[in-house]
Amino acid sequence: MIKEWLDKHRAKGILKTVFKNGDISMSYSYGPNGANSGVVYPKIHSIKFDYKNKRAIYVFTLPIGMDPKEVKKKLYCFQQVFGKNIELEGDIKRFVLTVHAAVLPDVLHYNYENFKAELSALKLPVIVGMDLNGDIITYNMVKYPHLLIAGETGSGKSTQLRSILSSLIKTVPPNQLELYLCDLKRSEFHIFRHIEHVRGMFVTPKEMMPMLKHLQKEMKTRGDLLDQFEVAHIDDLPDPPPYIILCIDEVALLQDETNLMKLVEEISAIGRALGVFLILSMQRPDSKVLDGKLKNNLTVRMGFKCADLINSRIIGTPGSEKLKKEGRMLLKLPAFSELKEIQAPYLAIDKAKKILECFKSTNAKNAKMTPYTSNEGYIDLHENKNGIFEVLDE
């Protein structure tokens, strides 16, 4: 008991030093000619040692009148004393500083069994990775729709996309999930060919347009069903249709495809209640592609290492330009009040192929997948058991 009191007393003194040396305070002056003046520092309310998770949690409040932005600007002062493995959360007056003794692993190897418990409780589960507490972070895309993944080449963006799609395929049966994959770089999605969940793969804007028009028509049909049954979400329908995920790798290549991007934006605006979701990824953020409406509708952002602060701000994860390690990201998720540093799981292509092997359509294993490009519209996808788009005669 005495030792813990001494430890807390020492820890309190260290935090006070940060306030003092970092000039995290508010000056006051009153009386004739400012006869009474001084400095008020934030008040430390509590210090808790979480021995299980190897962390210390400080709670402090700002004096009335102090700009909370000044605390965030001085994050480096806290890092200089406590190290980089810290989290500082707060908004107006109350702040919580968490100092982690544990360090995130340089590589977090993908192991579905380690994630299975968290995923099984979610309708449309997304694995994010491990946080500074050593906890596995997942979320439900049905609750937090539309995801943006961005980062430089070699930052971990591609393997994150691979692990997310592989986990969805392994967790959600094909009669409950349809995937539409757009591989504009022609380098990422070949391992998903002929998977039962995958209804089509597309590599050019020309191939994508009829597919997007099909999704637009499908959303209208689903909207009519919601009106007919007077419900707010497809999950509330007597016979809910499958979830749909449209995944576009390197969406920045579509910046000049105005009509196509309008359809993508439409999905982002109304897709949530209709069970139609987006996963967009890009290497170099482009403000022309991520305009106000689309960007605001991308509820979740995963910011891997970016070139500079401008790029990280476009993504919505300022600070991701400072990330050093491959697979490290800053996560923006409405469930958290602040950005959270995460180590993404690493899933090698060979291992992903083994995971996906049992999900290949029996009839499609020896078939050649050809993106559907007819101008006359789509065939009935729900009657297309193999999930392969046939080319109709034009």
Side-chain angles (χ1 to χ4, degrees):
M1 183 69 72
I2 295 177
K3 182 181 182 302
E4 184 173 351
W5 181 87
L6 290 172
D7 289 341
K8 287 184 176 181
H9 184 74
R10 189 179 300 109
K12 187 175 183 179
I14 294 173
L15 183 54
K16 284 183 175 181
T17 300
V18 174
F19 293 152
K20 183 177 180 180
N21 293 344
D23 195 22
I24 302 173
S25 62
M26 187 181 70
S27 301
Y28 67 87
S29 177
Y30 62 90
N33 299 319
N36 297 298
S37 61
V39 175
V40 179
Y41 294 101
K43 181 178 180 180
I44 302 172
H45 289 274
S46 66
I47 300 173
K48 177 184 177 182
F49 296 124
D50 183 351
Y51 296 104
K52 180 180 179 181
N53 294 307
K54 298 181 180 180
R55 62 183 180 177
I57 303 171
Y58 300 77
V59 177
F60 62 90
T61 57
L62 307 185
I64 295 175
M66 182 176 175
D67 186 352
K69 292 180 181 179
E70 293 300 316
V71 178
K72 297 295 181 67
K73 289 180 181 178
K74 299 291 180 67
L75 177 62
Y76 66 89
C77 295
F78 295 90
Q79 291 176 329
Q80 287 173 347
V81 173
F82 294 107
K84 291 185 177 181
N85 293 319
I86 66 172
E87 293 177 291
L88 182 61
E89 299 181 349
D91 44 21
I92 306 298
K93 185 177 178 65
R94 183 178 181 273
F95 281 79
V96 178
L97 171 67
T98 305
V99 180
H100 300 272
V103 179
L104 282 173
D106 290 341
V107 179
L108 176 64
H109 292 285
Y110 180 97
N111 186 333
Y112 181 79
E113 294 303 316
N114 292 341
F115 309 137
K116 189 175 181 179
E118 285 82 0
L119 299 183
S120 60
L122 305 177
K123 291 183 177 179
L124 206 55
V126 174
I127 296 174
V128 182
M130 179 181 290
D131 69 3
L132 289 168
N133 291 326
D135 296 327
I136 298 298
I137 303 299
T138 61
Y139 72 90
N140 185 3
M141 184 173 275
V142 175
K143 184 175 182 180
Y144 302 115
H146 312 317
L147 164 64
L148 172 64
I149 305 174
E152 294 180 334
T153 301
S155 63
K157 172 182 64 67
S158 295
T159 186
Q160 178 71 343
L161 194 56
R162 189 184 307 140
S163 71
I164 287 174
L165 292 175
S166 298
S167 299
L168 283 167
I169 289 168
K170 192 167 177 64
T171 307
V172 186
N175 65 329
Q176 297 177 24
L177 174 63
E178 296 179 357
L179 296 175
Y180 297 79
L181 306 182
C182 304
D183 189 1
L184 298 174
K185 293 190 304 180
R186 303 192 181 201
S187 61
E188 296 300 331
F189 292 152
H190 55 87
I191 64 172
F192 298 105
R193 284 195 180 100
H194 311 313
I195 299 300
E196 293 176 312
H197 302 68
V198 178
R199 308 314 303 270
M201 296 183 67
F202 312 88
V203 296
T204 68
K206 182 180 179 181
E207 293 171 357
M208 289 176 61
M209 182 55 79
M211 176 269 294
L212 286 169
K213 288 182 177 178
H214 161 72
L215 293 184
Q216 185 183 45
K217 183 178 179 181
E218 175 69 14
M219 288 194 297
K220 183 181 184 304
T221 300
R222 294 183 177 203
D224 291 341
L225 285 173
L226 296 187
D227 290 340
Q228 177 184 343
F229 288 95
E230 299 181 348
V231 295
H233 196 281
I234 63 163
D235 287 349
D236 301 321
L237 291 171
D239 185 17
Y243 297 123
I244 292 174
I245 293 179
L246 169 63
C247 182
I248 306 176
D249 186 36
E250 206 50 57
V251 68
L253 295 176
L254 301 175
Q255 62 177 337
D256 296 326
E257 305 292 335
T258 305
N259 293 333
L260 193 150
M261 288 305 299
K262 284 182 179 178
L263 294 175
V264 174
E265 184 178 297
E266 183 178 342
I267 293 174
S268 77
I270 66 174
R272 177 177 182 174
L274 306 175
V276 184
F277 308 103
L278 294 173
I279 298 178
L280 307 180
S281 75
M282 58 175 59
Q283 288 184 14
R284 186 175 181 85
D286 192 315
S287 57
K288 293 180 181 179
V289 176
L290 294 177
D291 63 3
K293 293 180 181 178
L294 178 58
K295 182 178 179 179
N296 290 338
N297 291 332
L298 295 170
T299 310
V300 184
R301 323 271 178 84
M302 297 181 185
F304 290 82
K305 180 173 176 55
C306 291
D308 50 44
L309 180 59
I310 294 176
N311 285 339
S312 64
R313 282 178 173 170
I314 293 175
I315 302 169
T317 58
S320 55
E321 77 281 359
K322 299 178 182 178
L323 297 172
K324 303 296 183 184
K325 298 184 182 298
E326 183 178 347
R328 195 67 55 87
M329 76 169 86
L330 292 184
L331 171 69
K332 182 178 182 181
L333 183 69
F336 306 122
S337 59
E338 304 286 342
L339 297 177
K340 185 178 280 286
E341 186 172 351
I342 303 286
Q343 180 67 34
Y346 174 72
L347 176 60
I349 291 179
D350 290 345
K351 187 172 181 178
K353 286 181 178 179
K354 291 180 181 179
I355 292 173
L356 297 170
E357 184 63 30
C358 62
F359 296 99
K360 285 194 173 183
S361 172
T362 304
N363 295 328
K365 284 183 179 179
N366 298 318
K368 179 180 179 182
M369 174 168 285
T370 306
Y372 176 67
T373 57
S374 170
N375 293 326
E376 298 179 8
Y378 270 72
I379 56 177
D380 186 346
L381 298 179
H382 297 287
E383 294 181 0
N384 183 15
K385 303 301 182 183
N386 296 336
I388 305 172
F389 293 133
E390 305 289 350
V391 178
L392 302 183
D393 293 333
E394 297 187 9

